[in-house]
Amino acid sequence: MPEGHVIHRLAREYAQAFAGNPVAASSPQGRFADGAALLDGQAPERAEAHGKHLFLRFPAGWLHLHLGLYGVVTWGHPPVPAPIGMIRLRLVNGVRYADLRGPAVCELITSAEKQAIHERLGPDPLRPADDGERAWAKISRSRMPIATLLMDQKVIAGVGNVYRAEVLFRHGIDPRRPGRVLSGEEWKAIWTDLVDLMNEGVRAGRIDTVRPEHLPEAMGRAPRADDHGGEVYVYRRSGMPCLVCGEPVRTVELAARNLFWCAACQRDQAATATGATRS
DNA sequence: ATCCGATGTCAAT
DNA sequence: TTGACCTCGGATC
């Protein structure tokens, strides 16, 4: 289940496993049979990620993948087992195989089509050449809640429901605050933090956002295991005590997604509601 | 056996 | 704002 860190990690794994050598490509499920036939026997050249979009370069074109809400790739070493479940695309070489299930997008596209995708995506904290200025240009002019803006891939690419909740918590910002009521300093700090957190997410393969001093162990409480694998402050912790202040974590549905925050730690000062800068 | 939700996005209303 | 879609696993009956 994928935010940008998963996709960037997958790009590295696909390149490492397959670049430079021919692969056997198949679609055991059948829904990508025509595309797999075109790729079968070709050698992937490289992989790229932008936000939640993954691109694998083949001589036949770009394989464009988007995992959507529940797409997943599983890895293994030959011998390749008989397909279990709905495998849209299986890539295999002598040493590894990758099974793709449940993607929202699995298609072959041209370089021009790929370019169009890049153009509609905002800057990605995981792309070293990107910076937050293009995002700030939109955020600083928007009345939309910052929680909504952070999930808008045209504004910033790769952030999903976990990173948005967690980064807003780490900066003490009320998720409902309009984008244009953020200060430039606050945005700069958020962007820098996302660069750090998401790169750490790529490295670790999970989302960890809790500072060491707030880990339950450090606070004298029993360790816990979040079911998505990482240590977080508020994501999917509704009703549980905030790791910092003990208030119950709150949740509301916003644009059909659950939004989590701590109303005590993320309370804007009255002045911010009128546009003043938080110190 | 069936329901429901999920780290996502789009189109239709 | 809602519904549809991509698939699976855990909860519930």
Side-chain angles (χ1 to χ4, degrees), chain A residues 130-145:
Chain A
D130 287 9
D131 69 66
E133 282 310 305
R134 271 172 54 223
W136 177 239
K138 292 190 171 117
I139 290 166
S140 60
R141 281 191 262 103
S142 175
R143 312 173 183 232
M144 303 284 285

Side-chain angles (χ1 to χ4, degrees), chain A residues 16-18 21-23 75-80 91-98:
Chain A
Q16 190 169 8
F18 297 129
N21 296 297
V23 292
W75 296 86
H77 301 275
V80 179
L91 297 183
V92 186
N93 68 15
V95 294
R96 293 205 86 183
Y97 69 88

Side-chain angles (χ1 to χ4, degrees), chain A residues 12-235:
Chain A
R12 292 182 194 180
E13 284 185 292
Y14 268 113
Q16 190 169 8
F18 297 129
N21 296 297
V23 292
S26 60
S27 180
Q29 166 204 56
R31 294 187 58 166
F32 189 57
D34 294 351
L38 288 170
L39 301 181
D40 190 38
Q42 296 204 326
E45 293 159 26
R46 63 184 186 279
E48 276 181 44
H50 186 166
K52 299 166 191 169
H53 295 256
L54 176 56
F55 305 96
L56 257 185
R57 180 67 201 177
F58 286 83
W62 288 97
L63 174 65
H64 173 216
L65 303 181
H66 192 297
L67 295 186
L69 188 53
Y70 43 75
V72 67
V73 176
T74 54
W75 296 86
H77 301 275
V80 179
I84 295 169
M86 300 281 106
I87 300 176
R88 185 78 60 86
L89 174 64
R90 170 174 273 178
L91 297 183
V92 186
N93 68 15
V95 294
R96 293 205 86 183
Y97 69 88
D99 285 343
L100 168 68
R101 297 160 202 270
V105 176
C106 174
E107 62 181 3
L108 267 177
I109 62 173
T110 65
S111 295
E113 289 166 330
K114 173 172 177 281
Q115 188 55 34
I117 292 166
H118 288 301
E119 282 165 14
R120 65 179 163 75
L121 290 173
D124 178 348
L126 289 172
R127 285 167 71 92
D130 287 9
D131 69 66
E133 282 310 305
R134 271 172 54 223
W136 177 239
K138 292 190 171 117
I139 290 166
S140 60
R141 281 191 262 103
S142 175
R143 312 173 183 232
M144 303 284 285
I146 184 60
T148 301
L149 293 164
L150 282 173
M151 294 278 283
D152 183 342
Q153 304 296 299
K154 298 186 295 298
V155 173
I156 179 170
V159 173
N161 206 12
V162 183
Y163 281 120
R164 86 148 162 196
E166 294 299 308
V167 80
L168 290 174
F169 179 90
R170 284 168 59 94
H171 294 265
I173 291 171
D174 188 319
R176 300 160 298 187
R177 191 181 336 161
R180 61 182 195 176
V181 183
L182 265 72
S183 72
E185 306 311 313
E186 282 174 322
W187 174 248
K188 222 170 280 180
I190 288 172
W191 173 267
T192 302
D193 206 20
L194 285 170
V195 171
D196 291 345
L197 288 173
M198 294 176 76
N199 274 292
E200 174 58 19
V202 175
R203 197 195 62 70
R206 49 184 249 177
I207 298 179
D208 291 292
T209 60
V210 179
R211 298 185 173 91
E213 65 268 30
H214 295 142
L215 287 171
E217 300 90 298
M219 304 283 279
R221 292 194 222 101
R224 63 178 201 289
D226 285 312
D227 57 8
H228 52 88
E231 294 284 356
V232 295
Y233 282 108
V234 290
Y235 174 70

